[in-house]
Amino acid sequence: MPTIVEGILLCFATSASVLGVLVNGFILHKTCIDYVRQKCSKIRFILTGLAISRICVLGVLIVDGYLKLFSPHMVASDTHITCVTYLWIIINHISTWFATSLNLFYLLKIANFSHYIFLFLKRRINTMFILLLGCLFISWSISFPQIMKMFNDNTQRRNTSWRLHLLKSEFLINHIGVNLGIFFFFMMTIIICFLIIISIWRHNKQMKLNVSGFNNTEVHVKAMKVLISFIILFILHFIGVFIETLGFFRSGNKLLPALGLAIACIYPCCHSFILILANSQLKQASLRALNQLKCCGKGTDVKTTWQT
C-alpha cells in the first residue's frame, strides 16, 4: 500500500493526466472541425499532431508509472522494458518535434528581422519544417542504437537483476544518449525565445512613439509567454521523467517514481492549456463549450445561448 504522500502524488498525477487528455482532446476536436470547414493550414496540422502526441505521452507515463509502483515484476521483464523504451522514444520525440515546430512557426510569423538569412528562411517555411523532420529522424537514428547497446549489455549479464546492471555513471550516459535529440530541440526553442526577445526589444524601440504599434507588441508578448512557459514546463517534465526512471533502480522506493510521475504529467497538461489561452480561436471555442456546459447544467436551451 502506498503511503499518504505517495497517494497524494498519485492522485495529483492522475488528475493532471485526465485534465491533460481533456485539454488536448479539446484541441484535437477543434482542429478536426476546422479541417472539415476550412482549408488545412500549418498551424492546424501542428496543433493536431501536438495534441495527439501529448495524449499518447500521458498514456505511456500513467500506465508505465502505475506498473512500476504496483507491478514491479512486470516492469523488470525484458519485454516490458524494450517495448516501453522504444514507444517512449518515438512518442516523446514526436511530441517535442511538434512543440519545436510550433515555436518555430511563432518565430517566422511574428518576429521581424531584416537580415537576409531570416528573410530567406521566412520565405521557405516549408523547407524549415522538412529540415526539422530530418532532425527528428537523425535523433531517432542516434537514440535507437543507444537503446540496442543497453539491451545487448543486458543480455550479456543475465545472471543478475536487470536494474543492477547499470551503474550510476552508465545510467547517466545512457540517459543523455537516448535523449540527445530532445536536447537539440530544446536548445532550438531557447534560441527561438532569445530571437523573439530581441525582436520585441527592437520593435518597442522603433514604435516607442507610435501608438499603432501596440497590437504588434501584444502579439510578441503573447508568443513570448507561450515560449517561456514551454521552457519552464519542459524542464520540469524532463526532471520528472529522470526522477521516475531513477526511482526504478532503487528497489522498494515508491516515493521517487510517484514524485517523478506527478512532475512529468504537468507539462503535457499545462502547456496545452496555455496554448488555448494564447490562441484566440481556441479560446473562443473553449468559452462557448463552457457556456454550453453551463446551459446543460441549468437545463436552458443551448441554441439561445449560442445565438447570444
Side-chain angles (χ1 to χ4, degrees):
M1 288 293 293
T3 62
I4 297 177
V5 177
E6 293 168 358
I8 293 173
L9 291 173
L10 284 177
C11 289
F12 178 82
T14 306
S15 302
S17 63
V18 171
L19 184 61
V21 170
L22 292 175
V23 171
N24 286 285
F26 171 78
I27 295 176
L28 180 61
H29 172 73
K30 180 64 173 63
T31 52
C32 288
I33 291 177
D34 291 340
Y35 274 133
V36 177
R37 294 178 179 177
Q38 303 174 14
K39 187 179 179 181
C40 178
S41 63
K42 296 182 185 68
I43 186 65
R44 292 194 186 99
F45 170 74
I46 293 172
L47 288 175
T48 302
L50 188 61
I52 294 173
S53 60
R54 283 182 172 172
I55 291 173
C56 295
V57 165
L58 286 169
V60 174
L61 279 173
I62 288 296
V63 172
D64 185 57
Y66 270 83
L67 286 176
K68 286 178 180 177
L69 290 170
F70 299 105
S71 298
H73 60 281
M74 292 180 60
V75 179
S77 64
D78 291 345
T79 304
H80 174 87
I81 294 171
T82 304
C83 293
V84 170
T85 303
Y86 278 107
L87 185 64
W88 172 253
I89 291 299
I90 293 172
I91 294 176
N92 196 33
H93 277 64
I94 291 176
S95 176
T96 309
W97 182 86
F98 275 114
T100 307
S101 300
L102 181 64
N103 297 331
L104 181 64
F105 182 85
Y106 278 129
L107 174 67
L108 296 178
K109 288 294 183 181
I110 296 174
N112 186 18
F113 294 103
S114 58
H115 199 277
Y116 69 94
I117 296 179
F118 181 79
L119 296 176
F120 175 81
L121 296 176
K122 196 168 186 177
R123 288 193 297 266
R124 290 164 175 80
I125 187 170
N126 291 331
T127 306
M128 288 299 299
F129 286 119
I130 293 174
L131 290 175
L132 269 181
L133 188 61
C135 294
L136 175 64
F137 286 109
I138 291 173
S139 66
W140 279 340
S141 66
I142 295 173
S143 299
F144 289 155
Q146 187 68 31
I147 297 173
M148 292 177 64
K149 179 180 177 299
M150 292 169 57
F151 292 137
N152 289 335
D153 292 341
N154 175 47
T155 56
Q156 296 174 3
R157 296 174 287 186
R158 285 188 177 275
N159 55 338
T160 56
S161 176
W162 192 94
R163 70 182 65 188
L164 297 177
H165 291 162
L166 294 177
L167 300 174
K168 291 183 178 180
S169 58
E170 292 180 4
F171 169 73
L172 184 61
I173 293 172
N174 290 331
H175 197 76
I176 293 174
V178 168
N179 293 282
L180 200 59
I182 302 293
F183 290 139
F184 170 76
F185 291 127
F186 180 68
M187 291 305 299
M188 271 197 67
T189 300
I190 292 179
I191 294 172
I192 290 170
C193 188
F194 178 71
L195 290 175
I196 291 184
I197 290 175
I198 295 175
S199 178
I200 294 174
W201 177 75
R202 292 181 62 182
H203 182 80
N204 289 336
K205 188 177 180 181
Q206 293 173 0
M207 299 292 181
K208 197 171 184 180
L209 301 177
N210 190 356
V211 181
S212 62
F214 174 76
N215 290 331
N216 291 332
T217 305
E218 188 177 359
V219 172
H220 278 71
V221 173
K222 187 179 291 186
M224 194 68 227
K225 290 179 180 178
V226 174
L227 287 170
I228 291 176
S229 67
F230 170 79
I231 292 174
I232 295 174
L233 292 171
F234 188 78
I235 290 174
L236 287 175
H237 173 73
F238 193 82
I239 292 174
V241 173
F242 185 82
I243 291 174
E244 184 187 3
T245 308
L246 190 64
F248 172 64
F249 293 92
R250 302 187 66 177
S251 302
N253 190 339
K254 294 184 178 181
L255 182 60
L256 278 181
L259 177 63
L261 182 63
I263 296 174
C265 289
I266 296 175
Y267 158 71
C269 170
C270 292
H271 187 252
S272 297
F273 184 75
I274 293 171
L275 289 178
I276 292 177
L277 297 178
N279 188 295
S280 58
Q281 293 182 353
L282 290 175
K283 186 177 180 180
Q284 291 174 5
S286 63
L287 292 175
R288 288 196 298 266
L290 290 174
N291 197 17
Q292 185 176 359
L293 289 175
K294 288 181 181 179
C295 291
C296 292
K298 294 179 180 178
T300 56
D301 190 3
V302 177
K303 293 182 178 179
T304 58
T305 305
W306 278 92
Q307 292 174 356
T308 58

